[in-house]
Structure formats: C-alpha cells, structure tokens
Amino acid sequence: MAPASFATNPYLVRTFVENGQQIDETITPSRPPAIKADVVYVPIPSSAAGINTVSVVPAFTWCYGCSATSAGMLMGYYDNHGYANMYTGPANGGVCPLNNETYWGSTTWYPSGTVCGECPLVATHIGKDSRTIRGHVEDYWIDYLNAGPDPYIANGWTEHTTGDCTADYMGTSMSKYANVDGSTTFYNYTDGSPLYDYTGAEPGRRDGCHGLKLFVNSRGYTVTDNFSQYIYGYHGNTLGFTYSNFKTEIDAGRPVLIGLEGHTMLGFGYNDTGNLVYIHDTWDHSDHSMTWGGSYGGMLHSGVTVLRLPPTVTLGLSGSPMA
C-alpha cells in the first residue's frame, strides 16, 4: 500500500526505508505563477509584540530553480553579515546585491516562456559577472521542466568545474541527479525528526540540504548543522519542526528555507499575531507573509531546511550586529 503522503503531495517521488527509518524523496520544480502574492508591510521588530526579523536579506527573482534561488538569498544574507567569501564577484563592490536583476537582468526561455532572473551566486552563466566560460546554465539548462540529457552530455563537451553557485552544489536541473530543469531534490524523515546532511542517495541523487553544506565549505566556511525536517503535524507527525523552533532560528540571526509542496522560499522573520512567517518567495523583490503550517500560492507548507554557521559576529534584534 502506498504511503498516505503519495495521495496528497504530487511532488513526492518515492518513500523508502533506510536504517530502519522511512524517508521521503521530494522535488521542488515550481516556477513563479502569473499572478503574484500580495506584498506586505513588515513591522519594526518588537519583543513585546512578538515580532522579529533579520535585516539585509536579499530578495531574488526565480533564477533557474526556486530552491537554488532561496539558497542564494541565504548565502547573500551571510555575505552581507561577515561571511564575505559567499559572493566574490565584481558587482556592488564585491558585496552580494539585495536585488539580483539590478546587476544581472533576466532571460526568457522558449518554448516555455519561462523568465529566469540572473544571479551568478545562484547559477553561473556566460556574460554575467564577466564570465567567459561555460557555467551552470550552459551545462545543465535547456528549458523549464526539460528532463535532459543535459547539454554537456548531449553535446559531448567537458562539464565545468563545480563552483561559485548554489545550483551547482545542490544538483539543481542536473539530469545526472534525475532533476528536471528548475528542480531540486530534498529528503525528509516521515516521522518528522530532522534528517541531517543526507548523503545516502549519492551518487545517483543529490540532497539539496547536503548541497548547501558543500557550497558553504567551498567558500572556506564550516557548517555547524544542516538538516531538513517536516513541520510538526505534517501528515500526522509528532516530531516535526515547530513555529517556536522557527522563532529560535530567527532570533539567532539565521534565515530558514521554507519548504512547500513543490516550492522553496526563504523565511526571514515572524509575527506572533497570527503565527505569521515573513518570506521572500522567489517571485519578486518584495516582502510577503504566510501563516505557519498553512499554504502559500496554493501549496501546502510541508517543512524547513536549516543551515547553521559558526557566528562571525553576535547578531541582535533584526539581525544587526551588537557592540
């Protein structure tokens, strides 16, 4: 009998058992919809009101995959907060911009008509940041949801050396990892417990969470923890990540990847009135919100991916450095 989650999540690829625990393999292929979500006003942080945010968080448009784009925003945040090697290109004086299209524009692909915002921190591309050699886009991208084989395979040229962008390390759009163009794969324990730095599907698959760690390590930094976890109550689990856990991450100055069924966003704040989560959804450059455990754009909130780095500075309210 198929697991219950197969009946409700169309982006669940399979469920399998490893070391006695059941694991879901899911994909996140969703591109921006024609009608975007409403923009919201994010209040000034106030501990008395139960509101907090981390500050100076990039808002990127969809760049060859929502998960890699969300990861790029996360790395851009850290680049602006003491981890200066996350982005080392020439734009904005070498500091990751908060708006990707200001410096790199966008590209429309046919026949799908998909508009991809450009960002070399997310997906390297000839002509962006003065790049003159093939990168992620040339080697792995054909058009939205194309299953490959990837261009470097079909054309017989040498695959570029992995580096510089989150999509390279997360396996986004790579046919060798069974990802269609725009998609990234994630793994979660079905009981809701955290799945740390999963590598059990290598070499045929790449866990996007493990890819986050690989990218950070490639920039010369250490990762304290990285894990994916279903939220509490998703498909009846009793061990999942809670709204209180999310608040703890934000209070510590750590944005969190928010997983929906088929989509990934970046959470950067909370408001206890309504258990709201403030997000950048990869669809525009604005602030948005959703109810924790609810749905967004018709997609159910399913989980999170958490990345923790050793602090370079002490972050206070709103993620600002404390003296």
Side-chain angles (χ1 to χ4, degrees), residues 83 216-217 220-224 308-310:
Y83 301 83
V216 172
N217 291 164
Y221 301 115
T222 300
V223 172
T224 303
R308 296 172 180 159
L309 308 183

Side-chain angles (χ1 to χ4, degrees), residues 132-147:
T132 59
I133 60 174
R134 286 188 289 262
H136 183 91
V137 176
E138 286 77 26
D139 280 354
Y140 310 124
W141 180 267
I142 300 171
D143 195 7
Y144 180 62
L145 297 185
N146 192 290

Side-chain angles (χ1 to χ4, degrees), residues 9 11-18 21-28 67 169-171 174 176-179 183-211 226-231 234 259-260 264 302-306:
N9 183 358
Y11 301 104
L12 178 63
V13 176
R14 62 180 178 133
T15 299
F16 58 95
V17 176
E18 185 175 289
Q21 286 191 274
Q22 204 171 51
I23 297 174
D24 280 347
E25 177 185 304
T26 58
I27 56 172
T28 56
S67 300
Y169 291 93
M170 297 173 76
M174 296 186 190
K176 67 180 178 182
Y177 294 131
N179 284 322
S183 183
T184 307
T185 300
F186 287 90
Y187 296 84
N188 285 275
Y189 283 133
T190 60
D191 67 1
S193 56
L195 179 51
Y196 288 90
D197 194 33
Y198 182 67
T199 60
E202 298 274 353
R205 301 287 190 277
R206 167 63 53 80
D207 175 31
C209 179
H210 176 58
N226 63 303
F227 62 88
S228 290
Q229 186 175 9
Y230 281 149
I231 61 169
Y234 182 70
L260 308 177
T264 306
S302 56
V304 298
T305 295
V306 174

Side-chain angles (χ1 to χ4, degrees), residues 3 27 48 57-59 78 86 90 101 115 126 133 140 144 146 166 169 198 205 214 216 218 288 291:
I27 56 172
V57 181
Y78 281 116
M86 295 299 190
E101 293 190 56
V115 178
I126 288 177
I133 60 174
Y140 310 124
Y144 180 62
N146 192 290
T166 56
Y169 291 93
Y198 182 67
R205 301 287 190 277
L214 293 177
V216 172
S218 78
H288 302 276
T291 301

